[in-house]
Structure formats: structure tokens, C-alpha cells
Amino acid sequence: MAELEGQGGPVVADPRGVLRQGRAFLDFFWDIAKPEQEVRLAATENLLRHLREGRKDDELKYTLKRLVEGLGATREAARPGFSLALAQVLQAFEEIPMCSVLEQIKEKHNLEKVKKKLVRNAAFGNFFGVMALFQSGRLVKDRKALLESVQLLQQLAHHQAHLRDLPRKTLIDITSEVPETVFEEVLFGILQSDLASAFTSPENLHLLLVGIQKFPGVLKPKNLKKLFGSPTVVNEQNIPRLVELLQSAAKSEKKDKKLPSVVFDLLQVSLKEDAFELFWKEGVENGLLKEKSGPVSYMCYRLLGSALPLLSLDQLQMVLKGKVMQHYGEHVVTTQLPDRFKFAPEMEGYIDEFLNSCDDVERQLAVMIGFSTLTNQGYPVLSSSSRVVRHLQPVALQKYIGWLKDMFLRPDFDCCLDFSSNRQKQTQENLNIAQHKIARLRKWIIHRLANIIESSVKKEESLVMDISRFCFFHAFFEAKKKTSQIREANVLPSEPLDEQAHSVTENYFFGLLQTLNTLTVLGETAKAAALREKHIHGVTADGKLWIFLLVEYANKLLSCEHVKAVKPFTKGQRDAWERTLQSVKNLQKKENKSDSAKVVAFQQLLLLMAIHLFKNPSETMDVLSDLLNCTERAFSKEPKKKKADNAEPGWVEVMVEILLSLLAQPSLLIRRISKSVFVRICPNLTKRGLQLILDVVDPYQEQNEESAVVVMEESDKKIKSAQDMDEEGSEDSSDEGNTEEEDDSGDEEKNEEVDDDFRSQLMNVLQAGNALVRDESDEELDDEAMMALDKNISALFAEQQKRIQAKKDEKDRMRKEKILRRDFKIKVLDLIEAFLTKQSENPLVFDIIEPLLRVIEQCMSSDSDKQEVDFLQKTANIFKNSLCRTKQYCKRVDALQEDLHAFVERLVKKACKHTDSSVALYYFSASLYLLKVLRGNTSNKSSTPTPLPEKQSNTIPQACQLLSTGCLDMERVTVIYQQALTQFLTKRNSALTSSMFHDLFRRFPV
């Protein structure tokens, strides 16, 4: 009502009629005018319900009056609300004449009679009135109302200052909805002037294009010739003007970030008129692209993406080798900065949509190859990990993989749309461009192939094996000559792979191996479905490990005389290889007899180490030899013998040492398989084996740690060159390094200060050159003496600079060593967590408590960087969730009663002595865990408790648990906690807190 008062109109027309019915009815109109869309929609629904139930003519008339008045409201949010409400009312009450409502709108918002300052409101009132009539769905059925509405929109088109192009767009929408007969009989006559002036504005052109597509029987070539002089829209004569109109449309809709409708309709009309090639080459490539404008360029890219589903195979090939593609490629390469707008994700969306909707194999293949051959100095612009391949038909996928492999072996840059940026041309003048391009293309192809296995595309086992064999062969082997025995050696590379190419392929292969290890079982057979239900990964449908198939393939290659390994095996390495295969075969025989999970875990580790022989033969040999010996002992049938403390370590201890060394490797695959193996050997873990793990995380053992972790730094650098494959996830420690660098900047300045030794050396040099002690004659040094002095001083400063740099390098080395050691400890925590989860009832769990507490205590007392905080958080989470809160615990503590009671006493005393309550809480929680264990065990000496009567046991089902104390020595424990409580109540600065005792009394009320 505020709007109506602002316009000077009467607020209430019938004070004794409608308004007497209460405010509920009037509140609907207030809510319709509110800015919140949900409120407006709810008010509209309630108004319709009220009118339907009441069926009162006076209310309906008042509603129409209020809604028509609201169309020209001053508040912008209110106008669409009143327009939608009017449309809904007209749709619900078809007895309301459309023409009478239109007349009411014209009369209320008369543009000729309204005051000048209210022209804008009146213009919007008329526009939203026509919109309401159109949205009601009844306008196209009432020819008279339709004609008058179109005429009104034509008048409103002159008020561009207020309405911009809204009337034209609405006119296009209405035109696209009317039947052809209505258009010909009612609208064609009044729209002739708009159609004839199609080349004056994008809106008029759009109206013409919609008419041509919607009413081909009316807008025939002869009628078009009468309108604007040519039977077609897209021809050489019209191209210049069309380019101008499209440029204008691009700039006017740049904020929408979508393809203007007029451009897409012009594309469709050009296809209909068989003039697409003319439109694309002259209109787009030689017209629109000439203007170096962002909005126009993006419009061209969107036009390219939108055109893909509409084009034939020949047209696709023409477009994908054209200037728009190259322009798009240059955009992708030059917009790598984070603050630049990147169109690549949007283009990938277009490709994804096309491949999803297209069933034609050849067209799918043409688009995939087209974007894969748009290259920047050999490297395709399309991401090698793009997910669009998931929509490829099986035949198209097979052909695409074949094309990728062929391009890898015989790179053909004649079929590529290759380009270089200006910066690349300037910085690579002396580079061997041909070799550079081949290396970049092969790197992309091998990652693309590996990523196809990782993607969700539907694939067969044969396809997975084909890609895996191809990657493995070119990572570690090369063909001496062509042979039909090995499919991968059937075609020789046109340009042999150099050492770098083998290295890149090798790194991507190990990423592929990680994918295979986690791959779900493929195939539609019942056996495959059964394996999937068991959540088994890394095997084929017949249960064979993927990595085993690759080892079999590698063995075949080693036996073939026509191929050779990139790093040939020595006799010892070949013997280790043969021994590994034999060991795996022996394990496979035992798979159904013994613990199959344990057997599979050992197989995986042996096979993985065997594959690593091809990568690092010398480094892998020692680990593989220990692993083979350990495997033989683990599965031997010899009876176990008790050994002395200094005897040879058992197979479990050896395996733990092997797994710890493998955890230091930068390969995520090795670490995951190592953890999997550890889970399988947990039941066999000994106290000595567990201690090997605990020594790694124990802060008091840190100074005695071996530097094996630090040796992996060099391998780390190699891995970084191929970051796309064996992803390290969140285990990267670069942030911590940066933090410490900032902290150490002050120390570096101290190192640069001149020390006493350097000062004395400098004095000696100056005195030797007579530069300090001068006689009374004050003679200056001659040139020769000055030159000698300069030489000696510069040598002295050079030596000092070397010393300073050496100190910095040593400090940097120690910082990196600390980061790697901490990172290794974080990984070892995974083994501890796995043991606590899988073996929570093992008595060895008690040996883990104190080392974890020492880690927490040490981390909390040190100045921690981010990595140290992560280590602390992970340790604390394991302690709380996997130890203290676990529901399963050791049930065989009868022999350990005395030790556990002493342990409880020791933990509580340490909690009392602490000054930090957060650390004391962990010690106290550990003591409560031991109480739970002791109470939950039954002592052999204790007598069997008298059972409760049946009736009483039904009423108090948990009475036994509450009264039972198990192995707990109540008197001893009571004294321990009584002393702690006394200290808490009497000592002012006690680290104990009330929550600790609250937890004690709540969990152990007896």
C-alpha cells in the first residue's frame, strides 16, 4: 500500500465491503510486495486458496485492482511479485477476460497521462502487466489480447532508458510460443517493420532468427527477400553486419557469462541454410576473432562448445583445426595466473555434455582427437586427467587408446594444431624444439593412458591390461627389433625414447600401479560380483592380482631375445628375480590352506619389490633378500623354538624392520602395501617387534635414530619431477619447511656477523700490506702494492663467505632432516593405530601406553611448528580413540595383575606431579583404561559370584557388572585415587581437575 500512496492513488475503494472482512486478506498484498522470494510465493499461494474457497466477486475485483496497481510499484522487488500473482490469478480464474485486464493495465499505467517523474514506474507497470498475461498461458489463445499486447511491447521498446531490451526479449519469447497460423494471421503484419530492420539490432535479428526456425512456412526465402532484400540471412553480403551485431551482443551480455541466444540461433540458421562454412570462416574466424576483446573471444569459445552436438563429422574436423581452437589454446596457456579468468573448465563442460549426448563413435573420436591435438609445443592443452573420457563408447575408447599409443610411438605433429607463446619463442631459441615437443607429447600421452584406468569409464580387463603392459614396457624395456611375440614390440618408435622419457614413463607407471592396487573388480560375472561384495580390490575377476600379471609379463620380456631392459639385471639380481617368482608360486599353493589374507599380503609385497628391481636394482636387492628369507621363515613348517634375547631375530622382527624401511620410501603405493602387510602379521607380532616400532616414535630414542630416513631426500627430489603420478596427499611437509625458514632468518643474520678469527685475519692482511701502520711521510701505496692488497682481501672475504654458506647449508640440511624424521614418525603412527585397532585384546597393548604418553608430553612442552602439532594431534587421537575409548580390551591379565596395579599407581602419581593439566589428563585417562581392563577380567582365585534370582535378574540386568570388581584390588586402588583426590582438594596448583574425578566416579561408581 505504500507504493499506491506514493503514486497518489486511492488506497481503499470499498471501505464498508472488502476491508470489513479483516486484515488477513489485505496482508496477502503486503506480503506479495516483500523482497523475500519465499514470502512472496507463500502469499501468492495463500491468496489463490482464499479466492478459490471464498468465490466472492468483490474480493476478486479488489484483487485484480491491487495487483494491477502493484505492477508499477516503486520498489523493484515488488513488481515481479505482483506480476506473478496476477498471472496465477488469471490462470486460476479463466472467466476473467484478458482484454479487460489489459485495458485496466493500460488505464492505470497510462504513459501519456502520467507525470514525468513517474514515467519509469508506468513503463514497468505496462511491461510487467504484459508479462503477467503471457505467463498465465492464456495470451496466445486470445488473439485480440495477443495483438494489443504485442503492440504495447512495441511502444515500450522506445523506452530503452528504463526498460533496455526487456520488451524485445519478451516479444521474442511470445513469438516463439504462438502457433504458426496465429503468427501468420495476427502477428506477421504488425511485426513486418521489426523483421525488415533485423540487421539494425541484435534483438531484431534474434526475432527474425526465431521466426525462421519456428515458422518456416511463413518466413520463406521469397518473403525474406521482400523484407530485407536477400532470400537468406547468412551470405557474403550480410556477414559484415552480422559480425557487428554479434560483437554488440557479446559486449551487452558479458556479465551473464553465457552464449547470447541470438548467436546460437544464428548458428542453427546457418546450418539450416547450408552456409555454416561461410559463417564460421568469414563470420567467426575472420570477423569476430579479429577484435581483440575478452567478451567476444569468450563468446567464440562458447559458440565452439555449443556447436559440437550440431555439426557433422566433416564440419567438426574443420572447426577443430581452425583459428578459434588455436585462439582458445593460447588463452589456456596464457591464463595460468590465479587471478586470471580461466575458460578451460567451461570448455571441458561442453565436451563432457557432447560426449554424453552423442552415440556416434566417429564424432566422439573426432572431438577427443581434435582437443588432444591442440598442443602447446607438443603438450596438449586438454588436461591429461580430464574426466570427459568416461562418456566414450567402448569402441570409441578403444580407438582413442590405439591413437594415443600410435602417437606415443610415432609422434605426428602434422596432424596437431601446435602453437607457441611469445615468451616461449623468446626463451627457447637454442633449444632442440623437435625433441622438446616429442618429450612433452609423450609425457602427456602416458599420463592420459594411466588416467583412463583411474577414471570411471566402463572398461574391460583386457583394456586395463593392454594399457598397463604398454606403460610397463616403455618404462623399463626397449625393442631391439620388431617381433610379433610381444605386442608392444610390434612397432618400433620413430624416435627412440631417451633416458628422461623412460624415467617419466616409469614414474607414471608406478602411479598406475597404485591405481591397479585399489581397482574394484571389473566384469559382469557372478564371481566378479561376489568379489565386489567382499570389497576386494586389486584383483581380476578370476582372483589374480594385477601386479602378479605384470610380473608374469615382465618375466616373459626378460626371456625374449628381441627386447632388452633399460637397466639390465646382473646375475645376482636375476637370481633374486627367479627366487621371488618361485616364492610367490609357493605362496599361491598355500592360499587356500592357510590364512589367505596373510598370503595375499606377502605376495603383494614380494611382487612390488620385484617390480622395483627394474627401477632401483641396487637399492632393492637388500630389502628383497631380507623379505624372501622372512617369507620362507614365516610360512615354514618347522616348530617354533624359544630363543634367548641375543639370538637371531624372528621373522616377525625382520618383517617389521623391512616395513619400517619401506615406510620411509616416497612411494604411496609401497607405504599402503606395507601397512596392509603389517595388518596381516599383527597377530604374530612379538614384544621385540613392537618395540622396534615404538623406538621410532619415542622422543628419548631420537638421538639414536639411523639417518636412513634422510637418505630418501634425493629420491624425494626425483619424485617431485613427476608429481602427477604417485600422489603423496596431505603428507607433504613443505609448509613446515617454510615456517622454519622464517624462524631461522634471524639466526642467519647472526651467522653473518664478523667473528674474532676473521677480524684478526683481516688485520694481519692489512698490516702485511702496510695499510694500517703508516709513517710520517704519509706516502700512498703504489699501484702494485694496492693490487696485491686487494687480491689478499678478496681471497679472505671469499673464504669467509664460503664458511658462512657452509654453516647455512648445514643448518638447512639439519632442518630438512628434522622434517623428514618427523614425517616418518607420523607414518609409523599408522602402524601403531592399526595394531591397536586389530589387536585390542593383545597384552602388548599395555607396552604402547607409556611411549605414546612420552610423545604427547614432549610435544606439548616443546615450541611446536605445524608439523609437530600435526604429530601431536595424531598421537593424541590414537591414544584417546584407539586405546582409551575402545570397547575391546585384553581379557587375559591374570598373570599381569601386580604389574597393572603398579602401572596404575605410576600413572596416577605422574598425573599428580605434572604442572600441565592437559598432560595430566592423558596420564589420568590411561589409568582409567587400566581400571576398566582390571575390572573386566575375572581372577582365577576369586570365587564364582552367587547368581541372582531369575525375577531379580530380569529387573536389574546389569547388577552383576556393577557389583563385579574382576581382578581389581579395591583397597589398593582406593588408596591411590584417595591420595590423588586429597592432593586435588588441598593443593592450590594441582594439575588434576574436577572433570577427571567426575569421570572416575561416573565410570566406576562402586
Side-chain angles (χ1 to χ4, degrees):
M1 290 175 68
E3 300 91 318
L4 303 177
E5 290 172 1
Q7 293 179 27
V11 177
V12 180
D14 184 16
R16 292 180 296 176
V18 175
L19 299 187
R20 282 184 178 178
Q21 315 219 358
R23 292 207 43 91
F25 178 64
L26 297 179
D27 284 343
F28 295 146
F29 303 102
W30 283 93
D31 290 343
I32 288 172
K34 287 184 177 177
E36 297 83 8
Q37 186 177 3
E38 295 80 6
V39 177
R40 295 203 304 263
L41 292 174
T44 303
E45 290 178 10
N46 293 333
L47 174 63
L48 286 171
R49 190 182 301 110
H50 179 86
L51 292 173
R52 284 196 191 100
E53 292 171 358
R55 287 287 177 179
K56 297 178 181 177
D57 292 340
D58 56 347
E59 286 186 349
L60 188 57
K61 288 178 182 178
Y62 182 80
T63 297
L64 290 174
K65 178 177 178 299
R66 282 295 302 271
L67 294 179
V68 168
E69 287 176 349
L71 295 172
T74 306
R75 286 182 291 169
E76 292 185 6
R79 298 170 195 151
F82 283 109
S83 178
L84 177 63
L86 180 58
Q88 294 295 313
V89 170
L90 292 174
Q91 189 178 32
F93 299 93
E94 294 192 3
E95 63 271 18
I96 301 174
M98 296 287 283
C99 288
S100 67
V101 176
L102 183 59
E103 288 300 324
Q104 197 173 345
I105 292 168
K106 289 180 181 179
E107 184 180 346
K108 179 62 186 174
H109 306 289
N110 194 319
L111 289 166
E112 295 177 1
K113 297 180 180 178
V114 74
K115 295 178 181 179
K116 189 175 181 180
K117 65 178 181 179
L118 298 175
V119 168
R120 175 182 173 82
N121 292 351
F124 273 108
N126 283 286
F127 170 72
F128 278 107
V130 175
M131 282 292 293
L133 299 178
F134 176 53
Q135 289 173 344
S136 70
R138 295 173 52 195
L139 185 62
V140 294
K141 301 174 186 176
D142 191 324
R143 295 194 172 193
K144 183 181 178 183
L146 175 64
L147 180 64
E148 291 182 9
S149 297
V150 170
Q151 289 174 334
L152 180 57
L153 287 174
Q154 287 176 323
Q155 293 174 20
L156 294 173
H158 299 298
H159 295 271
Q160 284 191 344
H162 304 303
L163 300 176
R164 300 186 183 278
D165 55 356
L166 290 174
R168 291 287 181 191
K169 288 183 176 179
T170 307
L171 185 58
I172 293 166
D173 292 338
I174 293 173
T175 304
S176 63
E177 294 292 328
V178 299
E180 188 168 3
T181 54
V182 175
F183 176 79
E184 185 175 10
E185 295 171 7
V186 179
L187 299 183
F188 185 52
I190 60 170
L191 291 178
Q192 280 202 11
S193 60
D194 298 288
L195 296 171
S197 58
F199 296 98
T200 59
S201 71
E203 291 77 24
N204 285 351
L205 175 63
H206 194 193
L207 179 64
L208 172 67
L209 296 173
V210 169
I212 290 173
Q213 294 177 86
K214 184 74 177 173
F215 316 114
V218 180
L219 295 174
K220 295 180 284 192
K222 63 176 184 179
N223 289 340
L224 294 180
K225 191 168 185 178
K226 290 178 183 176
L227 286 171
F228 49 81
S230 63
T232 58
V233 176
V234 182
N235 53 54
E236 291 185 7
Q237 180 184 352
N238 293 337
I239 285 290
R241 187 59 190 144
L242 288 173
V243 169
E244 292 177 11
L245 292 174
L246 295 186
Q247 288 173 345
S248 174
K251 292 170 185 175
S252 64
E253 298 190 26
K254 64 180 179 181
K255 291 183 180 179
D256 295 337
K257 292 186 179 179
K258 65 179 184 179
L259 183 69
S261 303
V262 61
V263 183
F264 186 69
D265 284 327
L266 184 59
L267 167 69
Q268 290 181 304
V269 168
S270 71
L271 288 166
K272 183 180 178 182
E273 295 178 348
D274 201 19
F276 173 75
E277 187 173 348
L278 173 68
F279 165 70
W280 193 261
K281 288 188 174 178
E282 298 302 323
V284 179
E285 294 183 345
N286 297 329
L288 294 172
L289 279 184
K290 294 293 182 184
E291 182 176 342
K292 304 296 181 182
S293 163
V296 175
S297 297
Y298 298 140
M299 183 183 74
C300 292
Y301 307 154
R302 291 186 176 104
L303 182 59
L304 169 65
S306 302
L308 295 177
L310 306 176
L311 304 182
S312 65
L313 182 60
D314 292 337
Q315 290 168 337
L316 278 173
Q317 291 171 343
M318 178 196 76
V319 165
L320 295 172
K321 294 298 177 190
K323 294 178 182 177
V324 178
M325 277 289 281
Q326 183 170 339
H327 203 277
Y328 164 70
E330 291 169 354
H331 158 79
V332 174
V333 171
T334 55
T335 55
Q336 300 302 325
L337 296 175
D339 57 337
R340 299 287 297 275
F341 173 70
K342 296 175 178 61
F343 191 81
E346 193 172 334
M347 181 61 81
E348 189 164 325
Y350 283 117
I351 301 169
D352 192 80
E353 187 178 345
F354 164 75
L355 294 175
N356 189 28
S357 61
C358 177
D359 296 327
D360 186 348
V361 170
E362 294 303 322
R363 289 172 66 218
Q364 278 193 338
L365 188 62
V367 169
M368 282 307 302
I369 292 178
F371 278 93
S372 299
T373 51
L374 175 61
T375 57
N376 169 231
Q377 288 198 342
Y379 197 87
V381 167
L382 182 69
S383 170
S384 55
S385 56
S386 171
R387 298 173 65 246
V388 297
V389 292
R390 70 185 190 275
H391 297 306
L392 287 176
Q393 299 288 326
V395 177
L397 179 63
Q398 192 67 54
K399 287 185 176 182
Y400 181 56
I401 290 171
W403 177 84
L404 288 171
K405 289 159 64 177
D406 191 53
M407 281 291 282
F408 183 88
L409 295 170
R410 295 175 295 187
D412 179 15
F413 289 102
D414 292 335
C415 72
C416 293
L417 191 61
D418 197 70
F419 63 92
S420 299
S421 66
N422 293 330
R423 182 177 295 179
Q424 287 172 333
K425 291 174 184 175
Q426 293 169 3
T427 57
Q428 298 175 350
E429 293 177 358
N430 300 324
L431 195 67
N432 187 335
I433 297 297
Q435 291 294 329
H436 183 62
K437 285 182 178 180
I438 291 172
R440 284 165 62 86
L441 178 63
R442 281 176 170 167
K443 179 181 178 181
W444 183 91
I445 288 174
I446 209 72
H447 188 212
R448 174 75 279 182
L449 285 169
N451 190 262
I452 285 173
I453 294 180
E454 189 178 353
S455 70
S456 57
V457 62
K458 189 176 181 181
K459 46 193 174 285
E460 301 292 333
E461 286 185 352
S462 57
L463 183 143
V464 173
M465 195 60 203
D466 182 46
I467 292 176
S468 303
R469 285 164 55 118
F470 184 85
C471 294
F472 179 82
F473 182 87
H474 293 289
F476 303 113
F477 287 86
E478 51 191 15
K480 298 178 186 176
K481 63 177 184 178
K482 287 201 293 187
T483 173
S484 58
Q485 298 175 11
I486 307 294
R487 190 188 313 163
E488 287 70 30
N490 201 22
V491 179
L492 296 179
S494 60
E495 188 68 34
L497 277 72
D498 57 13
E499 185 181 349
Q500 184 185 2
H502 282 299
S503 176
V504 168
T505 309
E506 172 188 297
N507 287 324
Y508 280 117
F509 168 74
F510 280 102
L512 168 64
L513 206 57
Q514 163 63 22
T515 302
L516 290 176
N517 186 53
T518 56
L519 191 66
T520 54
V521 181
L522 304 174
E524 303 299 329
T525 63
K527 193 172 181 181
L531 289 171
R532 280 195 292 270
E533 284 181 8
K534 295 177 182 177
H535 303 288
I536 293 175
H537 298 86
V539 300
T540 59
D542 58 359
K544 288 185 179 179
L545 290 166
W546 282 107
I547 191 171
F548 174 71
L549 298 177
L550 284 171
V551 168
E552 278 190 326
Y553 173 64
N555 197 45
K556 181 181 178 183
L557 293 178
L558 288 171
S559 307
C560 181
E561 59 182 7
H562 299 300
V563 298
K564 64 174 183 178
V566 176
K567 300 174 185 175
F569 284 172
T570 62
K571 185 179 185 306
Q573 290 163 358
R574 185 61 188 262
D575 290 343
W577 171 266
E578 298 292 347
R579 189 181 165 197
T580 303
L581 292 186
Q582 187 58 48
S583 183
V584 169
K585 288 177 183 176
N586 294 339
L587 286 174
Q588 288 175 342
K589 292 175 186 176
K590 298 177 182 179
E591 197 165 334
N592 297 324
K593 299 177 184 177
S594 56
D595 182 3
S596 105
K598 179 180 171 183
V599 171
V600 169
F602 270 84
Q603 278 187 65
Q604 280 186 311
L605 197 54
L606 282 169
L607 293 168
L608 184 60
M609 288 298 101
I611 291 285
H612 267 268
L613 270 177
F614 292 99
K615 183 178 183 181
N616 295 314
S618 56
E619 293 178 15
T620 309
M621 274 297 293
D622 292 338
V623 176
L624 185 57
S625 178
D626 290 343
L627 184 59
L628 285 166
N629 294 333
C630 180
T631 306
E632 289 171 4
R633 291 166 63 185
F635 291 94
S636 66
K637 296 180 181 178
E638 296 178 8
K640 296 179 182 178
K641 299 177 183 178
K642 288 188 177 181
K643 56 180 185 296
D645 291 340
N646 58 352
E648 184 183 350
W651 71 266
V652 176
E653 287 89 38
V654 176
M655 178 57 82
V656 168
E657 288 183 340
I658 292 171
L659 295 179
L660 287 174
S661 67
L662 294 178
L663 279 181
Q665 297 281 340
S667 168
L668 179 61
L669 174 61
I670 289 180
R671 294 202 305 275
R672 283 187 174 172
I673 290 183
S674 299
K675 184 179 176 182
S676 172
V677 172
F678 179 77
V679 168
R680 307 303 176 196
I681 67 169
C682 272
N684 305 99
L685 194 64
T686 62
K687 188 179 184 74
R688 191 171 169 184
L690 179 62
Q691 194 59 46
L692 291 171
I693 297 171
L694 296 176
D695 285 346
V696 175
V697 297
D698 195 334
Y700 301 123
Q701 297 286 336
E702 189 160 332
Q703 62 271 22
N704 300 322
E705 283 183 2
E706 294 180 2
S707 59
V709 192
V710 187
V711 175
M712 302 317 302
E713 187 178 353
E714 290 182 7
S715 303
D716 232 9
K717 291 176 183 174
K718 292 177 185 175
I719 291 298
K720 284 182 183 176
S721 64
Q723 348 175 342
D724 299 291
M725 40 252 60
D726 200 1
E727 296 289 341
E728 293 300 320
S730 61
E731 297 171 357
D732 199 302
S733 303
S734 58
D735 291 341
E736 294 76 33
N738 294 338
T739 308
E740 289 207 6
E741 250 181 299
E742 293 169 9
D743 296 340
D744 295 342
S745 60
D747 296 333
E748 288 175 5
E749 291 175 9
K750 293 177 184 177
N751 289 338
E752 292 173 5
E753 292 179 6
V754 181
D755 55 23
D756 293 336
D757 290 340
F758 177 67
R759 183 179 283 107
S760 64
Q761 289 174 10
L762 182 59
M763 293 288 287
N764 292 336
V765 170
L766 293 173
Q767 287 172 356
N770 294 324
L772 281 180
V773 183
R774 307 289 298 279
D775 55 17
E776 295 178 359
S777 62
D778 202 25
E779 291 181 4
E780 293 185 359
L781 293 174
D782 57 19
D783 291 344
E784 188 176 343
M786 185 65 77
M787 290 291 287
L789 181 62
D790 286 346
K791 187 175 181 181
N792 291 335
I793 291 175
S794 63
L796 180 63
F797 272 97
E799 287 180 16
Q800 176 68 4
Q801 192 61 39
K802 285 180 182 177
R803 282 193 293 270
I804 292 173
Q805 188 60 43
K807 287 182 181 178
K808 287 182 181 178
D809 292 343
E810 177 63 18
K811 194 170 190 177
D812 191 50
R813 187 191 67 78
M814 292 177 67
R815 180 182 61 80
K816 289 180 179 177
E817 181 178 331
K818 182 182 175 184
I819 289 171
L820 287 169
R821 187 181 292 114
R822 183 69 64 222
D823 194 47
F824 178 57
K825 288 186 175 187
I826 291 173
K827 294 168 187 173
V828 172
L829 282 177
D830 290 335
L831 300 186
I832 295 174
E833 184 177 17
F835 180 77
L836 290 172
T837 304
K838 299 292 183 181
Q839 293 290 306
S840 56
E841 298 185 11
N842 195 318
L844 291 176
V845 167
F846 305 130
D847 294 337
I848 297 176
I849 295 174
E850 283 190 297
L852 291 184
L853 287 171
R854 283 198 292 268
V855 171
I856 293 171
E857 186 175 359
Q858 193 263 346
C859 290
M860 282 191 172
S861 62
S862 62
D863 295 330
S864 303
D865 55 18
K866 183 180 181 297
Q867 192 190 29
E868 189 89 2
V869 170
D870 292 341
F871 181 50
L872 170 61
Q873 287 179 344
K874 187 164 186 176
T875 307
N877 286 336
I878 291 171
F879 186 83
K880 287 188 294 184
N881 301 323
S882 302
L883 181 67
C884 295
R885 295 178 183 172
T886 182
K887 294 181 179 178
Q888 304 295 326
Y889 49 83
C890 182
K891 302 290 174 62
R892 308 184 305 276
V893 300
D894 194 51
L896 302 172
Q897 288 185 54
E898 179 59 33
D899 293 337
L900 291 181
H901 280 91
F903 199 179
V904 171
E905 187 172 1
R906 191 162 67 249
L907 291 171
V908 174
K909 283 183 178 179
K910 284 191 176 181
C912 294
K913 288 179 181 178
H914 253 287
T915 55
D916 187 347
S917 60
S918 57
V919 178
L921 174 62
Y922 287 99
Y923 278 95
F924 201 86
S925 299
S927 73
L928 296 184
Y929 165 73
L930 293 178
L931 282 188
K932 178 174 71 174
V933 172
L934 286 167
R935 195 182 72 167
N937 278 263
T938 305
S939 174
N940 292 335
K941 299 175 183 177
S942 63
S943 58
T944 306
T946 306
L948 292 169
E950 186 180 350
K951 190 174 181 181
Q952 191 176 351
S953 67
N954 291 336
T955 56
I956 323 174
Q958 296 180 354
C960 288
Q961 286 121 347
L962 290 172
L963 295 173
S964 172
T965 57
C967 295
L968 201 60
D969 185 342
M970 287 298 295
E971 291 182 11
R972 184 174 178 181
V973 170
T974 303
V975 170
I976 294 170
Y977 285 101
Q978 189 174 20
Q979 290 173 352
L981 183 59
T982 302
Q983 186 205 11
F984 167 64
L985 294 173
T986 56
K987 262 195 168 185
R988 187 173 185 180
N989 296 326
S990 174
L992 304 178
T993 61
S994 58
S995 61
M996 297 179 190
F997 292 99
H998 180 267
D999 198 20
L1000 170 67
F1001 300 144
R1002 181 178 56 81
R1003 292 170 62 183
F1004 307 101
V1006 178

